[in-house]
Amino acid sequence: MAKLLEVKNLDIRLKKGKETIPAVNGVSFSVEKGKTLGIIGESGSGKSLTCYGVMGLLDKKLWDYNGEVYLDGELLDIKDNKKMQKIRGNKIALIMQNPMSAFNPVITIGAHFVETINKTGETKKTKEEIRSKALELMDKMRIRDPEVVYKSYAFQLSGGMLQRIMIALALVSEPELLVADEPTTALDLTVQHEIMNILHGMQKDYETSILIVSHDLGVISHLADDIAVMYGGEFMEKGPAHKILADPEHPYTRGLFSSRPAFSKERLKMMPGSPPRLEERGTGCQFYGRCGERKNGCKEYSPDKGTMISDREVRCLLVDTEETQRKLGA
Ligand SMILES: Nc1ncnc2c1ncn2[C@@H]1O[C@H](COP(=O)(O)OP(=O)(O)O)[C@@H](O)[C@H]1O
Ligand SMILES: [Mg+2]
């Protein structure tokens, strides 16, 4: 399978005076053409920072960051805002958690389409061409009465409607990669479901690759072909979705799954406590403090790479030890 996006050793540190505090610790991943990678983890794990890093959206005054990001084999200059702006408008599109904040309150939805289409197109389009393209995209997003919506302002529309419009706007340039950071978190359940179906349908129609981030296992299991489980700025487990969902290897993944369906709202059953703040993170296994299965050596466990178990990578000393013993026994 061809990789559309490949990220190698993305490292993000928060600048604090003369020091820097690690926030994302050299994560590597890829998204295949027409496929979906889901990053899941509790709030504060570094999921959004990872997305911003890939898109070149990190504020250089606040963050020190490094890593290689390849799109279709081409190395992107994630520190060059001008170059990244061009890529963001064309090959990569972003949809965010809060649709309301993505819209300018004083211009109509139609004017947003005019702005976006003019920015992406090579040749200037007429008003009528833009309108019909917008109506076509909104129709694909199952928006009823798109003519009325076209003339409306953001504040007149619901969150679910705005999220659909945001996806329609993202599709204007027919992006190869859609980055969706908690795209359904602000929406109620039925609307969440509709948006996921829309994303799924869109992927079929356009062969778009999707990088989707969520703290919600329902969203991830619905859409992802591959899953990366993030905690404390690291990937605890990464691999094919069906394998991880059926048989999670890492104690963190197991805790996350077992506390479903309400793990975002209630305390995690198997994992009391909450993710550490940046300043509180240790240097060994990030999950050490909350892990019910920790052993000697876990506190210092900090490998460059996780253990490979067939096509899955797991970052856990216990799994590593078991796998080594299995190999020796074989
Ligand atoms: N602007 C910021 N200043 C200081 N710390 C930040 C800032 N943005 C994010 N962080 C910290 O970085 C960590 C990762 O954040 P984030 O990527 O937003 O997590 P997630 O998206 O997984 O919830 C968190 O501990 C968060 O508090
Ligand atoms: Mg986030």
Side-chain angles (χ1 to χ4, degrees), residues 109 134-152 156-158 160-162 164-165 168 190-191 194 198:
I109 298 301
L135 296 184
E136 177 202 319
L137 285 169
M138 285 198 275
D139 191 53
K140 276 217 163 82
M141 295 304 117
R142 296 180 212 158
I143 292 171
R144 261 159 278 153
D145 296 329
E147 288 92 352
V148 177
V149 172
Y150 197 78
K151 288 188 224 137
S152 306
Q156 297 172 306
L157 303 167
S158 70
M161 182 66 91
L162 291 176
R164 281 181 239 199
I165 298 168
T190 34
V191 185
E194 267 187 63
I198 285 172

mmCIF file of all heavy atoms in Angstrom, residues 109 134-152 156-158 160-162 164-165 168 190-191 194 198:
data_model
loop_
_atom_site.group_PDB
_atom_site.id
_atom_site.type_symbol
_atom_site.label_atom_id
_atom_site.label_comp_id
_atom_site.label_asym_id
_atom_site.label_seq_id
_atom_site.Cartn_x
_atom_site.Cartn_y
_atom_site.Cartn_z
ATOM 1 N N ILE A 109 -22.324 32.304 4.712
ATOM 2 C CA ILE A 109 -21.712 31.016 4.365
ATOM 3 C C ILE A 109 -21.256 31.064 2.897
ATOM 4 O O ILE A 109 -20.158 30.628 2.563
ATOM 5 C CB ILE A 109 -22.726 29.862 4.579
ATOM 6 C CG1 ILE A 109 -23.134 29.785 6.062
ATOM 7 C CG2 ILE A 109 -22.166 28.536 4.083
ATOM 8 C CD1 ILE A 109 -22.021 29.558 7.051
ATOM 9 N N ALA A 134 -20.628 25.231 -4.611
ATOM 10 C CA ALA A 134 -20.955 25.211 -3.180
ATOM 11 C C ALA A 134 -22.220 24.388 -2.933
ATOM 12 O O ALA A 134 -22.260 23.555 -2.025
ATOM 13 C CB ALA A 134 -21.131 26.635 -2.658
ATOM 14 N N LEU A 135 -23.229 24.601 -3.763
ATOM 15 C CA LEU A 135 -24.488 23.872 -3.584
ATOM 16 C C LEU A 135 -24.279 22.369 -3.788
ATOM 17 O O LEU A 135 -24.828 21.547 -3.058
ATOM 18 C CB LEU A 135 -25.558 24.396 -4.541
ATOM 19 C CG LEU A 135 -25.989 25.857 -4.322
ATOM 20 C CD1 LEU A 135 -27.125 26.228 -5.269
ATOM 21 C CD2 LEU A 135 -26.411 26.114 -2.881
ATOM 22 N N GLU A 136 -23.439 22.034 -4.768
ATOM 23 C CA GLU A 136 -23.152 20.621 -5.039
ATOM 24 C C GLU A 136 -22.466 19.973 -3.821
ATOM 25 O O GLU A 136 -22.836 18.879 -3.382
ATOM 26 C CB GLU A 136 -22.253 20.541 -6.282
ATOM 27 C CG GLU A 136 -21.798 19.150 -6.654
ATOM 28 C CD GLU A 136 -20.526 19.187 -7.508
ATOM 29 O OE1 GLU A 136 -20.409 20.047 -8.409
ATOM 30 O OE2 GLU A 136 -19.629 18.354 -7.223
ATOM 31 N N LEU A 137 -21.465 20.688 -3.265
ATOM 32 C CA LEU A 137 -20.749 20.133 -2.104
ATOM 33 C C LEU A 137 -21.656 20.029 -0.880
ATOM 34 O O LEU A 137 -21.622 19.045 -0.143
ATOM 35 C CB LEU A 137 -19.528 20.997 -1.770
ATOM 36 C CG LEU A 137 -18.333 20.831 -2.724
ATOM 37 C CD1 LEU A 137 -17.289 21.918 -2.469
ATOM 38 C CD2 LEU A 137 -17.700 19.456 -2.568
ATOM 39 N N MET A 138 -22.493 21.045 -0.691
ATOM 40 C CA MET A 138 -23.395 21.013 0.463
ATOM 41 C C MET A 138 -24.411 19.889 0.312
ATOM 42 O O MET A 138 -24.795 19.250 1.278
ATOM 43 C CB MET A 138 -24.089 22.362 0.644
ATOM 44 C CG MET A 138 -23.148 23.408 1.225
ATOM 45 S SD MET A 138 -24.011 24.814 1.935
ATOM 46 C CE MET A 138 -24.260 25.822 0.507
ATOM 47 N N ASP A 139 -24.827 19.648 -0.926
ATOM 48 C CA ASP A 139 -25.749 18.554 -1.191
ATOM 49 C C ASP A 139 -25.103 17.220 -0.828
ATOM 50 O O ASP A 139 -25.725 16.349 -0.226
ATOM 51 C CB ASP A 139 -26.131 18.595 -2.686
ATOM 52 C CG ASP A 139 -27.290 17.660 -2.962
ATOM 53 O OD1 ASP A 139 -28.307 17.799 -2.256
ATOM 54 O OD2 ASP A 139 -27.162 16.792 -3.848
ATOM 55 N N LYS A 140 -23.823 17.074 -1.172
ATOM 56 C CA LYS A 140 -23.068 15.854 -0.815
ATOM 57 C C LYS A 140 -23.015 15.671 0.697
ATOM 58 O O LYS A 140 -22.979 14.556 1.194
ATOM 59 C CB LYS A 140 -21.638 15.955 -1.349
ATOM 60 C CG LYS A 140 -21.485 15.530 -2.783
ATOM 61 C CD LYS A 140 -20.149 14.803 -2.977
ATOM 62 C CE LYS A 140 -20.138 14.017 -4.259
ATOM 63 N NZ LYS A 140 -19.823 14.827 -5.434
ATOM 64 N N MET A 141 -22.957 16.784 1.417
ATOM 65 C CA MET A 141 -22.920 16.733 2.884
ATOM 66 C C MET A 141 -24.323 16.589 3.477
ATOM 67 O O MET A 141 -24.523 16.778 4.669
ATOM 68 C CB MET A 141 -22.261 17.999 3.463
ATOM 69 C CG MET A 141 -20.802 18.164 3.115
ATOM 70 S SD MET A 141 -19.831 16.747 3.621
ATOM 71 C CE MET A 141 -19.255 16.148 2.044
ATOM 72 N N ARG A 142 -25.268 16.279 2.616
ATOM 73 C CA ARG A 142 -26.672 16.070 3.009
ATOM 74 C C ARG A 142 -27.238 17.278 3.753
ATOM 75 O O ARG A 142 -27.902 17.139 4.791
ATOM 76 C CB ARG A 142 -26.810 14.813 3.866
ATOM 77 C CG ARG A 142 -26.433 13.573 3.084
ATOM 78 C CD ARG A 142 -26.577 12.351 3.941
ATOM 79 N NE ARG A 142 -25.596 11.354 3.559
ATOM 80 C CZ ARG A 142 -25.173 10.370 4.348
ATOM 81 N NH1 ARG A 142 -25.629 10.265 5.572
ATOM 82 N NH2 ARG A 142 -24.302 9.500 3.920
ATOM 83 N N ILE A 143 -26.924 18.456 3.239
ATOM 84 C CA ILE A 143 -27.491 19.675 3.814
ATOM 85 C C ILE A 143 -28.785 19.980 3.054
ATOM 86 O O ILE A 143 -28.764 20.136 1.826
ATOM 87 C CB ILE A 143 -26.492 20.847 3.689
ATOM 88 C CG1 ILE A 143 -25.289 20.588 4.605
ATOM 89 C CG2 ILE A 143 -27.157 22.188 3.993
ATOM 90 C CD1 ILE A 143 -24.146 21.546 4.438
ATOM 91 N N ARG A 144 -29.879 20.043 3.795
ATOM 92 C CA ARG A 144 -31.151 20.358 3.148
ATOM 93 C C ARG A 144 -31.221 21.864 2.900
ATOM 94 O O ARG A 144 -30.603 22.634 3.631
ATOM 95 C CB ARG A 144 -32.319 19.913 4.026
ATOM 96 C CG ARG A 144 -32.889 18.569 3.568
ATOM 97 C CD ARG A 144 -33.665 17.905 4.674
ATOM 98 N NE ARG A 144 -32.744 17.216 5.572
ATOM 99 C CZ ARG A 144 -32.993 16.982 6.849
ATOM 100 N NH1 ARG A 144 -34.083 17.400 7.407
ATOM 101 N NH2 ARG A 144 -32.114 16.326 7.573
ATOM 102 N N ASP A 145 -31.952 22.282 1.914
ATOM 103 C CA ASP A 145 -32.077 23.699 1.554
ATOM 104 C C ASP A 145 -30.736 24.426 1.446
ATOM 105 O O ASP A 145 -30.512 25.453 2.091
ATOM 106 C CB ASP A 145 -32.933 24.446 2.599
ATOM 107 C CG ASP A 145 -34.361 23.928 2.629
ATOM 108 O OD1 ASP A 145 -34.840 23.487 1.561
ATOM 109 O OD2 ASP A 145 -34.975 23.964 3.696
ATOM 110 N N PRO A 146 -29.822 23.900 0.650
ATOM 111 C CA PRO A 146 -28.501 24.558 0.565
ATOM 112 C C PRO A 146 -28.581 26.015 0.096
ATOM 113 O O PRO A 146 -27.742 26.827 0.484
ATOM 114 C CB PRO A 146 -27.718 23.691 -0.423
ATOM 115 C CG PRO A 146 -28.712 22.828 -1.105
ATOM 116 C CD PRO A 146 -29.875 22.687 -0.186
ATOM 117 N N GLU A 147 -29.628 26.352 -0.698
ATOM 118 C CA GLU A 147 -29.751 27.757 -1.160
ATOM 119 C C GLU A 147 -29.959 28.695 0.020
ATOM 120 O O GLU A 147 -29.405 29.785 0.055
ATOM 121 C CB GLU A 147 -30.931 27.928 -2.136
ATOM 122 C CG GLU A 147 -30.719 27.319 -3.516
ATOM 123 C CD GLU A 147 -31.248 25.894 -3.565
ATOM 124 O OE1 GLU A 147 -31.631 25.366 -2.506
ATOM 125 O OE2 GLU A 147 -31.254 25.308 -4.670
ATOM 126 N N VAL A 148 -30.779 28.237 0.979
ATOM 127 C CA VAL A 148 -31.039 29.061 2.166
ATOM 128 C C VAL A 148 -29.759 29.171 3.004
ATOM 129 O O VAL A 148 -29.377 30.258 3.458
ATOM 130 C CB VAL A 148 -32.190 28.455 3.018
ATOM 131 C CG1 VAL A 148 -32.401 29.265 4.287
ATOM 132 C CG2 VAL A 148 -33.472 28.364 2.193
ATOM 133 N N VAL A 149 -29.097 28.022 3.178
ATOM 134 C CA VAL A 149 -27.860 28.006 3.977
ATOM 135 C C VAL A 149 -26.811 28.930 3.364
ATOM 136 O O VAL A 149 -26.097 29.654 4.068
ATOM 137 C CB VAL A 149 -27.312 26.560 4.083
ATOM 138 C CG1 VAL A 149 -25.943 26.531 4.735
ATOM 139 C CG2 VAL A 149 -28.290 25.685 4.872
ATOM 140 N N TYR A 150 -26.742 28.936 2.039
ATOM 141 C CA TYR A 150 -25.749 29.754 1.327
ATOM 142 C C TYR A 150 -25.864 31.226 1.707
ATOM 143 O O TYR A 150 -24.882 31.946 1.794
ATOM 144 C CB TYR A 150 -25.952 29.569 -0.185
ATOM 145 C CG TYR A 150 -24.778 30.024 -1.028
ATOM 146 C CD1 TYR A 150 -23.629 29.246 -1.147
ATOM 147 C CD2 TYR A 150 -24.831 31.233 -1.734
ATOM 148 C CE1 TYR A 150 -22.562 29.645 -1.933
ATOM 149 C CE2 TYR A 150 -23.763 31.645 -2.530
ATOM 150 C CZ TYR A 150 -22.636 30.837 -2.618
ATOM 151 O OH TYR A 150 -21.572 31.245 -3.388
ATOM 152 N N LYS A 151 -27.090 31.658 1.961
ATOM 153 C CA LYS A 151 -27.316 33.077 2.281
ATOM 154 C C LYS A 151 -27.275 33.347 3.786
ATOM 155 O O LYS A 151 -27.415 34.486 4.222
ATOM 156 C CB LYS A 151 -28.690 33.503 1.747
ATOM 157 C CG LYS A 151 -28.725 33.618 0.231
ATOM 158 C CD LYS A 151 -30.048 34.217 -0.200
ATOM 159 C CE LYS A 151 -30.649 33.501 -1.391
ATOM 160 N NZ LYS A 151 -32.066 33.252 -1.324
ATOM 161 N N SER A 152 -27.119 32.279 4.594
ATOM 162 C CA SER A 152 -27.178 32.448 6.054
ATOM 163 C C SER A 152 -25.825 32.835 6.647
ATOM 164 O O SER A 152 -24.787 32.726 5.999
ATOM 165 C CB SER A 152 -27.630 31.145 6.720
ATOM 166 O OG SER A 152 -28.828 30.699 6.160
ATOM 167 N N GLN A 156 -26.772 31.665 12.669
ATOM 168 C CA GLN A 156 -28.141 31.217 12.411
ATOM 169 C C GLN A 156 -28.239 29.699 12.271
ATOM 170 O O GLN A 156 -29.327 29.154 12.119
ATOM 171 C CB GLN A 156 -28.652 31.867 11.123
ATOM 172 C CG GLN A 156 -28.736 33.389 11.220
ATOM 173 C CD GLN A 156 -29.061 34.021 9.880
ATOM 174 O OE1 GLN A 156 -28.379 33.769 8.879
ATOM 175 N NE2 GLN A 156 -30.092 34.843 9.858
ATOM 176 N N LEU A 157 -27.081 29.016 12.296
ATOM 177 C CA LEU A 157 -27.079 27.576 12.017
ATOM 178 C C LEU A 157 -26.628 26.755 13.221
ATOM 179 O O LEU A 157 -25.925 27.266 14.098
ATOM 180 C CB LEU A 157 -26.146 27.300 10.823
ATOM 181 C CG LEU A 157 -26.492 28.076 9.546
ATOM 182 C CD1 LEU A 157 -25.355 27.999 8.548
ATOM 183 C CD2 LEU A 157 -27.786 27.570 8.932
ATOM 184 N N SER A 158 -27.032 25.485 13.230
ATOM 185 C CA SER A 158 -26.666 24.611 14.359
ATOM 186 C C SER A 158 -25.215 24.136 14.221
ATOM 187 O O SER A 158 -24.615 24.229 13.145
ATOM 188 C CB SER A 158 -27.568 23.386 14.374
ATOM 189 O OG SER A 158 -27.258 22.559 13.268
ATOM 190 N N GLY A 160 -24.105 21.078 14.205
ATOM 191 C CA GLY A 160 -23.996 19.966 13.259
ATOM 192 C C GLY A 160 -23.975 20.454 11.819
ATOM 193 O O GLY A 160 -23.220 19.960 10.988
ATOM 194 N N MET A 161 -24.814 21.479 11.551
ATOM 195 C CA MET A 161 -24.853 22.070 10.213
ATOM 196 C C MET A 161 -23.510 22.722 9.889
ATOM 197 O O MET A 161 -22.955 22.535 8.804
ATOM 198 C CB MET A 161 -25.978 23.102 10.172
ATOM 199 C CG MET A 161 -26.163 23.752 8.830
ATOM 200 S SD MET A 161 -26.728 22.558 7.621
ATOM 201 C CE MET A 161 -28.487 22.756 7.802
ATOM 202 N N LEU A 162 -22.966 23.483 10.857
ATOM 203 C CA LEU A 162 -21.689 24.158 10.624
ATOM 204 C C LEU A 162 -20.565 23.145 10.385
ATOM 205 O O LEU A 162 -19.689 23.369 9.549
ATOM 206 C CB LEU A 162 -21.339 25.059 11.815
ATOM 207 C CG LEU A 162 -22.226 26.296 11.983
ATOM 208 C CD1 LEU A 162 -21.830 27.055 13.249
ATOM 209 C CD2 LEU A 162 -22.142 27.214 10.770
ATOM 210 N N ARG A 164 -20.876 20.233 8.995
ATOM 211 C CA ARG A 164 -21.023 19.748 7.621
ATOM 212 C C ARG A 164 -20.511 20.777 6.617
ATOM 213 O O ARG A 164 -19.889 20.429 5.621
ATOM 214 C CB ARG A 164 -22.495 19.473 7.317
ATOM 215 C CG ARG A 164 -22.935 18.167 7.896
ATOM 216 C CD ARG A 164 -24.358 17.955 7.547
ATOM 217 N NE ARG A 164 -25.115 17.828 8.780
ATOM 218 C CZ ARG A 164 -26.301 17.288 8.840
ATOM 219 N NH1 ARG A 164 -26.886 16.880 7.741
ATOM 220 N NH2 ARG A 164 -26.914 17.161 9.984
ATOM 221 N N ILE A 165 -20.792 22.051 6.897
ATOM 222 C CA ILE A 165 -20.309 23.104 5.991
ATOM 223 C C ILE A 165 -18.782 23.160 6.023
ATOM 224 O O ILE A 165 -18.132 23.320 4.991
ATOM 225 C CB ILE A 165 -20.914 24.476 6.369
ATOM 226 C CG1 ILE A 165 -22.440 24.415 6.225
ATOM 227 C CG2 ILE A 165 -20.341 25.588 5.495
ATOM 228 C CD1 ILE A 165 -23.156 25.597 6.848
ATOM 229 N N ALA A 168 -17.579 20.511 3.857
ATOM 230 C CA ALA A 168 -17.788 20.907 2.455
ATOM 231 C C ALA A 168 -16.708 21.896 2.015
ATOM 232 O O ALA A 168 -16.143 21.776 0.925
ATOM 233 C CB ALA A 168 -19.181 21.526 2.281
ATOM 234 N N THR A 190 -26.662 11.718 17.584
ATOM 235 C CA THR A 190 -27.184 11.409 16.246
ATOM 236 C C THR A 190 -26.419 12.185 15.176
ATOM 237 O O THR A 190 -26.115 11.643 14.114
ATOM 238 C CB THR A 190 -28.676 11.757 16.114
ATOM 239 O OG1 THR A 190 -28.942 12.904 16.900
ATOM 240 C CG2 THR A 190 -29.561 10.617 16.515
ATOM 241 N N VAL A 191 -26.103 13.436 15.484
ATOM 242 C CA VAL A 191 -25.359 14.245 14.515
ATOM 243 C C VAL A 191 -23.946 13.685 14.342
ATOM 244 O O VAL A 191 -23.423 13.606 13.230
ATOM 245 C CB VAL A 191 -25.315 15.725 14.955
ATOM 246 C CG1 VAL A 191 -24.658 16.576 13.891
ATOM 247 C CG2 VAL A 191 -26.714 16.233 15.240
ATOM 248 N N GLU A 194 -24.063 10.936 11.910
ATOM 249 C CA GLU A 194 -24.221 11.423 10.532
ATOM 250 C C GLU A 194 -22.911 11.937 9.968
ATOM 251 O O GLU A 194 -22.558 11.666 8.829
ATOM 252 C CB GLU A 194 -25.247 12.553 10.507
ATOM 253 C CG GLU A 194 -26.651 12.069 10.210
ATOM 254 C CD GLU A 194 -27.585 13.236 10.037
ATOM 255 O OE1 GLU A 194 -27.383 14.035 9.103
ATOM 256 O OE2 GLU A 194 -28.485 13.349 10.874
ATOM 257 N N ILE A 198 -20.825 10.699 6.758
ATOM 258 C CA ILE A 198 -20.439 11.628 5.692
ATOM 259 C C ILE A 198 -18.948 11.492 5.386
ATOM 260 O O ILE A 198 -18.536 11.397 4.231
ATOM 261 C CB ILE A 198 -20.796 13.078 6.088
ATOM 262 C CG1 ILE A 198 -22.308 13.277 5.955
ATOM 263 C CG2 ILE A 198 -20.038 14.078 5.233
ATOM 264 C CD1 ILE A 198 -22.803 14.597 6.485
#
